[in-house]
Amino acid sequence: MISAVIKEVICETATVKRFRIGDIKGRPLVKFTPGAHLVTEIGSSKKWVRPYSIVRYTRDGSYEIAVLKTERSRGGSRYWHEKVRKGDGLKISLPRNGMKPSFSARHHVFLAAGIGITPIIGMARWCKERGIGFELHYTARTKAQCAFYSHLKTNFPGQCHFYFTRETAAERLTPELLYQYRTGTAVYICGPPAFNHQYKAAALAAGFPDRAVYTEMFVPPSSEGRKPFVFSTSHGSYRAGAEENFLDLLLEKGFQIPYSCRSGQCGTCEISVKGGEVDHRDQFLTAEEKMEGRMLPCVSRGKSITFPLIIEL
Amino acid sequence: MNSFHFAAGHLRYLLIFDSKGAEPAASLRNSLINEGAEFKELYAGSGRDLKWISEEISSQKNGTCLYAALETGLLEKLETAAVCAGYLPEEIQFIPSGSRRRIFCAHCHHISITDCENPPVQCSSCGRYLKVSGSRSGYWQAYLAVDREAF
Amino acid sequence: MKSSFPYPFSKEQRTYSYSNDAYPITGKPCIEVNDSYIEEISYKRQLIKEQPGRCFRSLPHTHEAQYEAAKLTAEHLVNVSEEEFSIDVTTGGFTLYNSILNEQVSVEEFSGDALRVIGDHVQEDLILMTERDQDIYMDAGYVCFPAGWSLTFNLGMPFLQIHEPVPGFTHQGLDRRILRFLRGLHADTPYERLNWSLSAGRRLDHSLETITEWKRERQLVSPDNAGNKVQLRVERQRLFRLPETQAILFTIHTHHCALDELDYPLVEQLYKILESMPRDILKYKGVSEYEEPLKEYLERKLDYGREPS
Ligand SMILES: [Zn+2]
């Protein structure tokens, strides 16, 4: 992780703040590919670990991210909004490849809901610079709550379509939009999980090949909120403390599980779960694989001390 | 590599073939009818049809799966047109009709067009006798061929 | 066995296994510099001079990634040995000073062959993979020592297609999982894996282009010369996600160790692993053609090792 500092805090809307983040020693940070995000760690003992898309790379070599204040959040976004000031220190990861724009598409369709607009700003700029066709469909409650509204309108006139659901004469974005495109179109879907699921399904139904549909689902960081849990195996039942690593426990109990990365990235330590609820903390397994009862014990674990996780080994 | 397989899940199918490609085309047509798929056929009589076919490919709506059984030469040009139009490899199935193939010599990198049904196959640049593999490069638009001595 | 030789099996391993066996190597460099540096660099340069079209290839969209990879590699050379390497970064490029070879070389940002230039200063083969349309392709490389494949033919090919000839690679969806692993690779955490095979002779260049030359050696293995002739060939493969372009730099350092240099427990382990290997893998790893003399050699050595001294 890189030591960084908050260089500027800008109010974008009543609920969205933009933060400029620079290297602590003033060296320019590496440039980013459109669609990329950072993992940030901020607060006392760097408690709040959150991924945020990079909105912009400034001339002095800083990144800008935008954070929505959500009431339901476990505290990360509230912390950013209420506590973070210019000059505060934080740690950031190197940029990560979130949604690299399609290489082969001749037309790009961006669908954004609310704060999901952040990765799209860089991608729209990328298209414009290369003269590649694109359009943006952006839904927000009201014009006042629409982050980057004037920036988008000024920079991409003619390509932006806004849908304000709470304004009088409300317009609505609907999945029917996706049926009008020619082959060679890529679609990017960025919004809350329900929006992403709905539009991903709609895009596949409209004939977009899997690889032409881009969405990003962030999962919770792997260290926060770990609970003790019980698990049972053919050898017996055991209890895991909140600080204990599930894979280590299984190895300790004599189960021979191949493992490699210990960080939920390589998939080697995968095991089968026959019952109980899993607290998945990897980004490796697909939603379908998790549904089928697979898990990676190197980062994932159980959730309950009353209903054991039943492991088949 | 001489017959198409029906790829489910596309909204419609476009089938392009020439006289030598009539056989794989017919068997695919049967599958498409059996599956109740929406499809369109284009008969490409000779190379001069390239521009017309390219325009047809490029104007297809999203969700089209492209099948082509054409002679080597026209087939590769069509492949280039499809890639330019933004088709992904999973939306394309191509079969060279006839027995001529583009082959990539593993030793001198020369690409020869040769009749693969009449061995021995020889590299037209270095003269080695080659065995043609099933591995095809989309970039070179050719099949890998390795010296017979290596087997 | 030389101390720098990356022995590929863990202590417990007794059978051949299929898995994603990569492990993180945070903080480690993408290259190593060892005793064979001068010898291998001059061999690489001779090969690329004689056969430029098979040792370096790149697609035009890799120019930025090539520069990023070259810069990272140069920085890692400096980290490995400040006495022998240093760099000067300027706008639009950098200069590498190499005191082992007494050379200096400039790499320019948009030259299009940055990987070629830096590749002349490292023992590793260098490969760039880029992510296109949510898939991974091999789009550039400076490769002198491939193990039975052709850089040129594989240029621009998807990762999964490149590995189609590897037996067992699709077993239980391993191929798709490795692809997913590569796509999830972060710049903060590079990875390493060791890939092994056996080869007849110490020749590093096992390119597909020259297969008829090096394959002959396999016919010459006998129980008497196997200890010297047959080599455990290990590729130390390292994977680095480049943060700026998001391309993946894949470096391969090939090491050899003659079977005679392995001591008793390692010979026994190798014997057991070979016994457990499926036929198709034995064939793929090039062992089938001299399996009999090899086995005889190993059995003799095991009998000898078991005798009380
Ligand atoms: Zn040739």
Side-chain angles (χ1 to χ4, degrees):
Chain A
M1 300 294 270
I2 303 162
S3 294
V5 65
I6 302 291
K7 296 176 79 174
E8 205 65 64
V9 182
I10 305 128
C11 281
E12 193 62 37
T13 68
T15 53
V16 175
K17 276 186 178 178
R18 183 149 51 94
F19 298 87
R20 188 173 303 155
I21 301 169
D23 179 88
I24 205 154
K25 292 192 179 132
R27 294 168 297 203
L29 295 163
V30 297
K31 292 186 190 121
F32 77 108
T33 44
H37 69 271
L38 300 172
V39 174
T40 60
E41 296 179 359
I42 202 163
S44 64
S45 64
K46 303 289 175 271
K47 184 180 172 195
W48 305 111
V49 182
R50 290 288 180 274
Y52 292 108
S53 294
I54 306 172
V55 174
R56 182 165 100 91
Y57 182 81
T58 63
R59 216 165 286 161
D60 65 342
S62 306
Y63 302 131
E64 283 186 2
I65 61 166
V67 181
L68 171 73
K69 185 177 180 180
T70 52
E71 295 310 322
R72 282 171 301 145
S73 98
R74 278 171 307 191
S77 89
R78 195 177 309 155
Y79 186 88
W80 274 95
H81 269 261
E82 290 169 6
K83 297 284 195 289
V84 177
R85 303 275 179 270
K86 183 174 173 173
D88 285 0
L90 75 162
K91 297 266 187 196
I92 56 170
S93 71
L94 287 163
R96 294 183 178 180
N97 192 358
M99 283 193 287
K100 223 178 164 198
S102 163
F103 186 83
S104 69
R106 46 183 174 158
H107 190 69
H108 301 257
V109 177
F110 300 111
L111 308 181
I115 196 65
I117 190 66
T118 51
I120 286 172
I121 295 170
M123 293 198 279
R125 193 179 306 123
W126 180 88
C127 288
K128 187 181 173 179
E129 281 165 8
R130 280 158 186 77
I132 303 170
F134 72 99
E135 58 195 84
L136 166 62
H137 300 266
Y138 180 10
T139 172
R141 284 181 186 165
T142 61
K143 196 190 276 187
Q145 285 184 44
C146 180
F148 304 102
Y149 176 76
S150 59
H151 172 85
L152 294 166
K153 245 191 130 115
T154 324
N155 284 280
F156 313 117
Q159 277 111 353
C160 299
H161 306 267
F162 295 96
Y163 305 81
F164 300 121
T165 53
R166 302 267 171 98
E167 300 272 13
T168 44
E171 280 189 81
R172 278 196 180 274
L173 178 65
T174 62
E176 282 68 51
L177 172 83
L178 294 168
Y179 282 84
Q180 59 176 301
Y181 299 103
R182 284 188 312 178
T183 185
T185 305
V187 61
Y188 306 79
I189 304 160
C190 305
F195 177 87
N196 293 346
H197 285 296
Q198 183 196 1
Y199 278 88
K200 182 169 185 181
L204 296 175
F208 282 87
D210 237 339
R211 286 205 287 139
V213 183
Y214 295 72
T215 48
E216 197 171 19
M217 319 264 181
F218 291 135
V219 303
S222 60
S223 58
E224 262 171 53
R226 291 196 296 209
K227 292 185 190 124
F229 66 99
V230 282
F231 62 98
S232 73
T233 68
S234 52
H235 294 206
S237 291
Y238 308 95
R239 189 191 151 93
E243 296 303 311
E244 284 180 296
N245 176 282
F246 190 23
L247 174 64
D248 285 339
L249 278 175
L250 290 168
L251 294 170
E252 211 175 90
K253 306 293 174 206
F255 295 103
Q256 298 208 341
I257 300 168
Y259 63 89
S260 195
C261 77
R262 289 184 161 275
S263 55
Q265 280 193 64
C266 73
T268 305
C269 68
E270 183 186 302
I271 57 172
S272 254
V273 184
K274 292 291 146 192
E277 217 185 327
V278 183
D279 178 6
H280 288 288
R281 286 165 181 262
D282 65 282
Q283 304 213 29
F284 184 84
L285 296 175
T286 62
E288 292 76 31
E289 286 164 344
K290 289 173 185 170
M291 290 278 286
E292 286 166 15
R294 304 188 198 172
M295 75 175 290
L296 300 181
C298 69
V299 289
S300 302
R301 47 199 291 114
K303 273 186 176 170
S304 163
I305 48 167
T306 37
F307 303 104
L309 204 58
I310 303 162
I311 304 297
E312 192 183 65
L313 282 166
Chain B
M1 64 193 191
N2 279 318
S3 69
F4 291 121
H5 72 267
F6 172 73
H10 299 275
L11 297 190
R12 64 193 76 77
Y13 299 82
L14 179 62
L15 169 58
I16 307 167
F17 61 101
D18 59 16
S19 59
K20 285 181 180 162
E23 205 177 299
S27 102
L28 177 71
R29 188 184 303 115
N30 279 337
S31 313
L32 291 168
I33 293 168
N34 288 340
E35 298 285 341
E38 179 187 331
F39 71 98
K40 183 175 168 180
E41 293 183 37
L42 298 176
Y43 181 74
S46 67
R48 71 186 155 81
D49 294 316
L50 178 68
K51 190 164 174 283
W52 166 65
I53 301 171
S54 302
E55 280 165 11
E56 189 71 31
I57 295 178
S58 162
S59 62
Q60 289 299 310
K61 280 189 72 182
N62 217 348
T64 305
C65 181
L66 188 60
Y67 288 95
L70 298 167
E71 259 201 293
T72 273
L74 181 58
L75 192 71
E76 286 78 19
K77 287 182 187 136
L78 196 74
E79 184 179 27
T80 307
V83 169
C84 283
Y87 283 81
L88 293 171
E90 54 269 37
E91 298 178 289
I92 305 175
Q93 276 187 48
F94 284 174
I95 293 181
S97 65
S99 57
R100 278 152 44 88
R101 300 278 181 282
R102 277 168 63 88
I103 60 160
F104 178 99
C105 172
H107 311 284
C108 75
H109 301 163
H110 180 75
I111 292 176
S112 318
I113 296 177
T114 140
D115 187 338
C116 286
E117 273 163 26
N118 286 308
V121 173
Q122 198 175 9
C123 172
S124 61
S125 176
C126 70
R128 289 179 193 239
Y129 290 103
L130 304 170
K131 188 175 158 185
V132 183
S133 78
S135 175
R136 183 182 185 274
S137 155
Y139 176 76
W140 297 106
Q141 300 187 313
Y143 292 89
L144 180 65
V146 181
D147 196 316
R148 286 193 307 191
E149 307 272 303
F151 294 89
Chain C
M1 194 166 78
K2 266 205 272 181
S3 60
S4 63
F5 180 74
Y7 188 69
F9 310 118
S10 65
K11 228 175 173 180
E12 319 82 61
Q13 194 178 337
R14 287 292 179 280
T15 54
Y16 184 77
S17 69
Y18 305 96
S19 66
N20 178 11
D21 44 7
Y23 43 88
I25 49 159
T26 309
K28 288 208 179 145
C30 62
I31 44 86
E32 30 175 1
V33 175
N34 67 17
D35 297 349
S36 313
Y37 184 83
I38 293 173
E39 182 195 337
E40 287 177 14
I41 295 287
S42 67
Y43 185 32
K44 277 181 77 172
R45 290 181 180 188
Q46 178 204 329
L47 288 173
I48 200 166
K49 195 174 164 205
E50 290 166 5
Q51 308 156 49
R54 85 142 180 92
C55 297
F56 176 71
R57 287 279 174 174
S58 75
L59 296 182
H61 68 265
T62 62
H63 292 180
E64 284 168 295
Q66 279 192 53
Y67 180 75
E68 193 181 8
K71 192 151 167 266
L72 184 87
T73 306
E75 284 163 359
H76 287 183
L77 280 171
V78 177
N79 293 347
V80 163
S81 172
E82 281 190 356
E83 296 85 60
E84 288 158 328
F85 300 96
S86 62
I87 54 170
D88 265 345
V89 181
T90 53
T91 41
F94 69 87
T95 302
L96 172 75
Y97 301 91
N98 180 335
S99 73
I100 303 181
L101 303 171
N102 200 18
E103 287 177 349
Q104 71 174 70
V105 64
S106 292
V107 183
E108 281 161 40
E109 205 163 349
F110 300 105
S111 64
D113 66 347
L115 203 64
R116 159 97 181 67
V117 178
I118 202 71
D120 268 351
H121 294 264
V122 295
Q123 290 165 265
E124 283 74 12
D125 284 328
L126 305 176
I127 290 168
L128 273 179
M129 298 191 279
T130 62
E131 190 159 333
R132 299 194 252 135
D133 299 294
Q134 311 195 61
D135 196 359
I136 291 191
Y137 294 80
M138 193 196 74
D139 285 344
Y142 180 166
V143 179
C144 289
F145 312 137
W149 56 282
S150 163
L151 168 73
T152 309
F153 183 71
N154 287 0
L155 185 70
M157 199 178 272
F159 176 82
L160 292 186
Q161 196 194 338
I162 288 174
H163 291 85
E164 263 167 22
V166 183
F169 194 64
T170 55
H171 182 70
Q172 291 181 348
L174 179 66
D175 56 343
R176 309 221 145 253
R177 276 155 187 266
I178 292 180
L179 181 66
R180 217 187 292 161
F181 162 73
L182 289 175
R183 291 194 56 209
L185 192 68
H186 296 149
D188 307 272
T189 317
Y191 274 75
E192 173 180 295
R193 75 179 283 265
L194 300 175
N195 183 46
W196 71 276
S197 61
L198 292 180
S199 69
R202 283 185 82 89
R203 177 181 165 132
L204 282 164
D205 166 20
H206 275 198
S207 58
L208 187 61
E209 283 79 353
T210 57
I211 187 167
T212 48
E213 294 167 31
W214 51 263
K215 231 184 156 181
R216 270 181 227 131
E217 288 289 312
R218 292 180 182 168
Q219 314 299 327
L220 307 177
V221 176
S222 72
D224 296 324
N225 71 12
N228 212 334
K229 194 159 197 69
V230 178
Q231 309 286 320
L232 186 54
R233 179 182 171 112
V234 176
E235 295 179 349
R236 191 197 287 281
Q237 307 181 337
R238 290 186 169 174
L239 289 157
F240 283 72
R241 172 78 75 175
L242 303 172
E244 191 168 322
T245 56
Q246 296 291 328
I248 294 171
L249 171 64
F250 179 47
T251 69
I252 307 173
H253 194 132
T254 304
H255 298 260
H256 279 136
C257 178
L259 296 189
D260 266 350
E261 291 172 46
L262 300 178
D263 51 13
Y264 176 75
L266 301 187
V267 173
E268 190 188 24
Q269 184 177 32
L270 179 65
Y271 182 77
K272 290 207 163 127
I273 290 170
L274 286 173
E275 288 270 270
S276 77
M277 267 163 66
R279 304 294 326 161
D280 53 352
I281 303 259
L282 280 173
K283 188 157 195 282
Y284 178 74
K285 297 223 182 228
V287 184
S288 303
E289 289 155 87
Y290 52 88
E291 197 182 347
E292 287 311 312
L294 173 65
K295 250 186 162 168
E296 199 177 324
Y297 160 80
L298 289 170
E299 278 160 7
R300 273 190 212 165
K301 202 165 168 183
L302 287 177
D303 284 343
Y304 181 75
R306 261 187 225 113
E307 276 167 27
S309 51

